[in-house]
Amino acid sequence: MIPLSGPFIEEDDINRVIAVLKSRRLSMGPFTEEFEKLIAEHTGARYAVAVNSGTSALHLILKSIDPKGRYMLVPSFTFIASANVALFEDKIPLFVDIDERTFNTSPSNLEDILTRIEKGKYRYNGQKVRIEDVCCFMAVDIFGHPLDWDEVTKIAERFGVTVIEDSCEALGSEYKGKKAGTFGVAGAFAFYPNKQITTGEGGVIVTDNEDIAKLSKSMRNQGRGEGGQWLLHVRMGYNYRIDEMSAALGVSQMEKIDRIIGMRNRVAERYGKLLENVEGVRAPIVEDYVTKMSWFVYVILLDKDVNRDNVVDYMETHGIQVRNYFQPVHLQPFYRKMGHAEGELPVTEDVSKRTLALPFYTDISEEDQKVVVETLKNAIEKVKA
Amino acid sequence: MIPLSGPFIEEDDINRVIAVLKSRRLSMGPFTEEFEKLIAEHTGARYAVAVNSGTSALHLILKSIDPKGRYMLVPSFTFIASANVALFEDKIPLFVDIDERTFNTSPSNLEDILTRIEKGKYRYNGQKVRIEDVCCFMAVDIFGHPLDWDEVTKIAERFGVTVIEDSCEALGSEYKGKKAGTFGVAGAFAFYPNKQITTGEGGVIVTDNEDIAKLSKSMRNQGRGEGGQWLLHVRMGYNYRIDEMSAALGVSQMEKIDRIIGMRNRVAERYGKLLENVEGVRAPIVEDYVTKMSWFVYVILLDKDVNRDNVVDYMETHGIQVRNYFQPVHLQPFYRKMGHAEGELPVTEDVSKRTLALPFYTDISEEDQKVVVETLKNAIEKVKA
DNA sequence: AACGGTCCTGAAAGGGGTATCATCACACCA
DNA sequence: TGGTGTGATGATACCCCTTTCAGGACCGTT
């Protein structure tokens, strides 16, 4: 069986974790700080705050900036947590459609929605959405591919909308020479085992904003006060701490981040070459403004006449794990209950029916990749026939 | 330096974690299930759901039972998360005072408050609290010592109030032969490194209620559907998953839980003997209904004429870590902002000024304990003089 | 061209929660 | 004994959000 994904764990990773266990410091120790330092250095952000998941990172950013306004703009073609954090704070997600090439938020659709809101032409549940009610835009660098940040920033600034960067899938990617995660007021990364680097479960916040860093650090630790005020809880807080084993893993993984990204780039290149001979599929597009691509997953787009679900079945029965993500957030069962339905986001809904993630991990072998593409070719022929 | 606390990590614990790293399953794997099985067996609960913290466990229980009513009863002499989970769900904590002997919620004060509520004599922020607005009682087994569950259950049933058991500090304790965590509709445990057993960061929910178990499992994993519906999110959810390294640690720790509790009991016994010769302190009281005591921390009560803060300073400067917990929740800065103030809970406020937690961990040596008690004796003499 | 249906949109009503105020009782003090 | 201050209590007003309704524009049909 060729799995969809998997972590890249070597001897040095294991040794780091052992060191933690022998140190008897299993939480809030030196590895957390070291991990944060490495992330900050790598991204170029001034501050990094490690937490226990990407979801926690997004939540704490939102809490820290505490933006006024009940609505949050967010794409629907993303992991559900991007939108859920709005619900955590009793805010309402408003969905933006995507661009068919990169699967990222379409700047023109973003601009269109904001224009309609400004003109009083945009409604949610029968209610007019005012521009001052839009608290922020949760901007996602999907599958590792950065947004068109010049465009997005320009639009957001024009309408006075704060941008949070959900760069959970894009650690190491660069837009015009600048690292993903550094474009909004703060950025979030995630380190689930299928990510570029893993900490088991884990995430991190990066920001140049001192207040966000300070508040996030406090709120991840039950709202405790600064300066060793250990027993004082000065604000609302959560337990979003990362444990030391995870942080230690993060340290050893970050020490070889460039090598990992390089290996993943070669995997992507090989897929690209192999897919040139396959009819009915479109390989991922990397736009020119992406000066460095850090692949999270390798998602191809099937032609409209290829039944994706049948391809998935064929691949799975032939021992190859694939996945059809993302299902649009606005069509998830409990978002439907909030009034969303098909037709709201044409590109998102079309694309989400045709995407297919191929097995992709740092140390996948060339042979396995060939098997994947051969099986895919067979699947498409079978499905079309 | 003699630390306040520390985890008890042995060779087998380390080996389990190594096994995880070599398995390439760093999340949602077999150790999580094994850990849950061991917890369920040990407590006698039908279901166990492992999560990433005790706070997450409490939150998911509250979410799962989704109780009607805006107010939650909770002691103030507890860790802040017991009360914070109410705020997570836009509910308002109403504080109950404690018993001076065990530091646990005073059943008579609980009864008194509920009676006043029923008679329309209880107000919060000027507003009358109605009995049907009380969603539940967050019952805490403080420092490992079980509540007087016969009394608490009787009162809660009389007023129709749901009980959630915050047994985060009481893994292994028994009330009249029944394990802590099994008295409310569900119980929560926590495994921070200072706890009886540790997973780094981690927690677990135990319950006999199938719905609570099912909902908790879904909501810890982003609200995903049951039965392998991996891409469907059928309800609101969080990332409260425990990672496999932590779960593996939990497995090896649970395999020796009886030995650990036994060792901690001997530590407590030794402290008890040593403290018999110390004036001005009261050793912890264990009530007769506690058929098995699983010590979390060892908290002594200083006489009113002993200045606790000076004792703390003395001990710390003499290389012995101690702690004055808990600071009452209702007097934490951001609870004060909600209108709470001194005078609300006389016993809680008195006790919290006089408690002192001594260094306490599974493998503390008898020699170190003697040093602790000798230093304490000197501290008290110095302070009184 | 007239009719009817749908969708859009503004406005108003309803409800829940919160804050404020007036009143009353009680206690303390002059 | 009366005045003042404090705290408890009931009532009220207000604010915000949400739902509903009615009018009107638009479009398709007859």
Side-chain angles (χ1 to χ4, degrees):
Chain A
M1 205 254 322
I2 301 177
L4 180 68
S5 69
F8 181 60
I9 303 291
E10 297 178 305
E11 201 67 26
D12 58 321
D13 300 298
I14 296 175
N15 288 336
R16 292 274 176 170
V17 174
I18 293 173
V20 169
L21 287 163
K22 290 191 171 163
S23 79
R24 293 174 65 122
R25 282 283 292 273
L26 301 188
S27 186
M28 313 223 65
F31 283 103
T32 300
E33 281 177 35
E34 176 69 14
F35 182 45
E36 289 168 346
K37 194 173 137 247
L38 290 174
I39 292 279
E41 277 171 11
H42 177 260
T43 57
R46 199 179 312 241
Y47 306 100
V49 180
V51 292
N52 62 359
S53 74
T55 306
S56 299
L58 292 171
H59 185 196
L60 286 190
I61 293 170
L62 191 57
K63 272 299 262 196
S64 294
I65 64 178
D66 190 25
K68 299 294 160 250
R70 316 170 35 235
Y71 299 101
M72 182 184 93
L73 292 164
V74 61
S76 173
F77 192 76
T78 179
F79 186 57
I80 197 165
S82 312
N84 271 354
V85 292
L87 303 179
F88 292 178
E89 293 305 312
D90 290 323
K91 297 186 188 298
I92 296 163
L94 301 178
F95 293 107
V96 190
D97 211 345
I98 57 169
D99 166 61
E100 206 222 25
R101 286 171 57 83
T102 61
F103 309 143
N104 262 323
T105 296
S106 154
S108 67
N109 189 242
L110 177 68
E111 185 174 25
D112 180 51
I113 288 177
L114 282 167
T115 305
R116 275 154 62 206
I117 290 173
E118 197 171 49
K119 290 187 177 161
K121 300 276 182 203
Y122 191 100
R123 288 206 157 215
Y124 175 81
N125 267 5
Q127 216 56 31
K128 196 187 287 180
V129 175
R130 289 171 309 167
I131 192 72
E132 60 268 30
D133 289 337
V134 177
C135 79
C136 54
F137 168 44
M138 179 65 75
V140 183
D141 299 307
I142 205 78
F143 300 148
H145 190 293
L147 277 166
D148 187 346
W149 279 106
D150 283 348
E151 284 298 308
V152 167
T153 305
K154 198 175 67 192
I155 296 163
E157 278 177 2
R158 174 144 69 88
F159 291 92
V161 172
T162 303
V163 176
I164 298 172
E165 185 172 1
D166 179 349
S167 44
C168 285
E169 306 177 356
L171 178 71
S173 284
E174 286 179 9
Y175 171 85
K176 299 186 181 173
K178 193 162 184 281
K179 283 278 194 304
T182 64
F183 290 93
V185 291
F189 293 108
F191 309 115
Y192 191 72
N194 62 353
K195 291 293 196 300
Q196 288 93 336
I197 71 159
T198 189
T199 62
E201 298 281 356
V204 76
I205 297 155
V206 291
T207 183
D208 287 342
N209 182 307
E210 191 180 345
D211 287 334
I212 295 176
K214 192 190 82 172
L215 292 172
S216 296
K217 276 199 178 177
S218 168
M219 287 192 285
R220 77 169 164 186
N221 191 16
Q222 307 281 4
R224 286 193 167 92
E226 290 78 31
Q229 294 258 4
W230 258 89
L231 293 170
L232 275 195
H233 301 264
V234 298
R235 57 180 70 82
M236 179 70 161
Y238 309 88
N239 183 343
Y240 284 168
R241 295 183 299 260
I242 193 168
D243 66 277
E244 280 285 286
M245 291 192 290
S246 304
L249 200 49
V251 167
S252 61
Q253 297 257 297
M254 276 308 287
E255 282 172 350
K256 52 192 175 194
I257 178 75
D258 291 334
R259 200 176 115 233
I260 288 176
I261 292 174
M263 289 171 76
R264 295 171 82 89
N265 265 305
R266 274 194 295 284
V267 172
E269 276 165 30
R270 291 201 300 252
Y271 265 139
K273 284 236 172 64
L274 291 165
L275 285 169
E276 280 172 8
N277 313 314
V278 183
E279 290 288 314
V281 309
R282 195 197 77 187
I285 294 169
V286 179
E287 301 287 6
D288 289 340
Y289 51 67
V290 179
T291 47
K292 189 167 197 175
M293 179 68 190
S294 173
W295 294 87
F296 163 46
V297 285
Y298 194 87
V299 176
I300 60 175
L301 189 70
L302 301 177
D303 284 357
K304 299 203 192 219
D305 59 342
V306 179
N307 183 311
R308 195 260 317 266
D309 294 338
N310 291 347
V311 172
V312 170
D313 286 346
Y314 184 94
M315 304 281 286
E316 299 258 336
T317 55
H318 286 73
I320 294 172
Q321 268 195 2
V322 291
R323 182 161 297 174
N324 51 340
Y325 53 131
F326 289 106
Q327 304 276 15
V329 173
H330 74 288
L331 299 181
Q332 295 288 349
F334 84 101
Y335 274 88
R336 282 178 189 267
K337 284 180 200 150
M338 292 163 62
H340 299 284
E342 270 95 358
E344 199 177 321
L345 301 165
V347 185
T348 297
E349 290 165 25
D350 172 47
V351 161
S352 69
K353 293 189 191 96
R354 296 160 57 207
T355 45
L356 187 75
L358 301 182
F360 190 91
Y361 39 97
T362 307
D363 56 352
I364 187 172
S365 69
E366 187 162 3
E367 291 88 286
D368 280 353
Q369 288 191 270
K370 282 179 182 163
V371 173
V372 168
V373 175
E374 276 309 306
T375 313
L376 175 66
K377 208 188 280 186
N378 295 340
I380 291 173
E381 274 166 22
K382 178 110 185 283
V383 162
K384 277 192 165 177
Chain B
M1 208 253 323
I2 301 176
L4 181 68
S5 69
F8 181 60
I9 304 291
E10 297 177 306
E11 201 67 27
D12 58 322
D13 300 297
I14 295 175
N15 289 335
R16 293 274 176 170
V17 174
I18 294 173
V20 169
L21 287 163
K22 291 191 169 162
S23 79
R24 293 173 63 118
R25 282 283 290 277
L26 301 189
S27 186
M28 315 224 65
F31 284 103
T32 299
E33 282 177 35
E34 177 69 13
F35 182 45
E36 290 168 345
K37 194 172 138 250
L38 289 174
I39 291 280
E41 277 172 8
H42 177 258
T43 57
R46 200 178 311 242
Y47 307 100
V49 180
V51 292
N52 62 358
S53 73
T55 306
S56 299
L58 292 172
H59 186 198
L60 286 190
I61 293 170
L62 191 58
K63 272 299 260 195
S64 295
I65 64 179
D66 190 25
K68 301 291 160 255
R70 320 170 32 234
Y71 300 100
M72 183 183 93
L73 292 164
V74 62
S76 172
F77 193 76
T78 179
F79 185 55
I80 197 164
S82 312
N84 271 353
V85 292
L87 303 178
F88 292 179
E89 294 305 312
D90 290 321
K91 296 186 190 297
I92 296 162
L94 302 178
F95 294 107
V96 189
D97 211 344
I98 57 169
D99 168 60
E100 204 223 28
R101 285 172 57 84
T102 61
F103 309 143
N104 263 320
T105 297
S106 153
S108 67
N109 189 241
L110 177 68
E111 185 174 26
D112 180 51
I113 287 176
L114 281 166
T115 305
R116 274 155 60 207
I117 291 173
E118 197 171 49
K119 289 188 177 160
K121 301 278 184 199
Y122 191 99
R123 289 201 157 219
Y124 174 79
N125 266 6
Q127 220 55 31
K128 199 185 286 180
V129 175
R130 290 171 309 167
I131 193 74
E132 60 267 31
D133 289 337
V134 177
C135 78
C136 55
F137 168 44
M138 180 66 75
V140 183
D141 301 307
I142 204 79
F143 300 148
H145 190 294
L147 277 167
D148 186 346
W149 280 106
D150 283 348
E151 284 299 306
V152 167
T153 305
K154 198 175 67 191
I155 295 163
E157 279 176 1
R158 174 145 69 88
F159 291 92
V161 171
T162 303
V163 176
I164 298 172
E165 186 173 359
D166 178 349
S167 43
C168 286
E169 307 176 356
L171 179 70
S173 284
E174 287 179 9
Y175 171 85
K176 296 184 181 175
K178 193 163 183 279
K179 282 280 194 302
T182 63
F183 290 93
V185 292
F189 293 108
F191 309 116
Y192 190 73
N194 62 354
K195 293 289 196 302
Q196 289 93 336
I197 72 161
T198 189
T199 64
E201 297 282 353
V204 74
I205 297 155
V206 292
T207 183
D208 287 342
N209 182 307
E210 192 180 344
D211 287 334
I212 295 175
K214 193 190 80 175
L215 292 172
S216 296
K217 274 197 179 178
S218 169
M219 286 192 286
R220 79 169 162 187
N221 190 17
Q222 306 281 5
R224 287 195 164 92
E226 289 78 32
Q229 295 257 4
W230 258 90
L231 293 172
L232 276 193
H233 300 264
V234 298
R235 58 180 68 82
M236 179 68 162
Y238 309 87
N239 184 344
Y240 285 168
R241 297 184 298 260
I242 192 168
D243 67 278
E244 280 284 285
M245 291 193 290
S246 303
L249 199 50
V251 167
S252 60
Q253 296 258 297
M254 277 308 287
E255 282 172 349
K256 53 191 173 194
I257 177 77
D258 290 335
R259 199 176 116 233
I260 288 174
I261 291 174
M263 289 171 76
R264 295 171 81 89
N265 265 303
R266 273 193 296 284
V267 172
E269 276 165 29
R270 290 199 300 249
Y271 265 140
K273 283 236 174 66
L274 291 166
L275 286 169
E276 279 173 8
N277 311 315
V278 183
E279 290 288 315
V281 309
R282 195 196 76 187
I285 295 169
V286 179
E287 301 286 5
D288 289 340
Y289 51 66
V290 179
T291 49
K292 190 169 196 174
M293 180 68 193
S294 174
W295 293 88
F296 163 47
V297 284
Y298 194 87
V299 176
I300 60 175
L301 189 70
L302 301 177
D303 285 357
K304 300 204 190 212
D305 58 343
V306 179
N307 184 311
R308 195 258 319 268
D309 295 338
N310 291 347
V311 172
V312 170
D313 287 345
Y314 184 96
M315 304 279 289
E316 300 258 336
T317 54
H318 285 74
I320 295 172
Q321 267 194 1
V322 291
R323 183 164 295 174
N324 51 340
Y325 50 124
F326 289 108
Q327 302 277 16
V329 174
H330 74 287
L331 298 182
Q332 295 288 349
F334 84 102
Y335 275 86
R336 283 178 189 266
K337 284 182 201 149
M338 293 164 62
H340 298 284
E342 269 96 358
E344 200 177 323
L345 302 165
V347 184
T348 297
E349 290 165 25
D350 172 45
V351 161
S352 68
K353 292 191 191 97
R354 295 161 55 207
T355 46
L356 186 75
L358 301 182
F360 190 93
Y361 40 96
T362 307
D363 56 354
I364 187 174
S365 68
E366 189 164 0
E367 291 87 289
D368 280 352
Q369 288 191 269
K370 281 179 185 165
V371 173
V372 169
V373 174
E374 276 309 305
T375 314
L376 175 66
K377 207 188 281 188
N378 295 340
I380 292 173
E381 273 167 23
K382 178 109 185 281
V383 163
K384 277 192 164 178

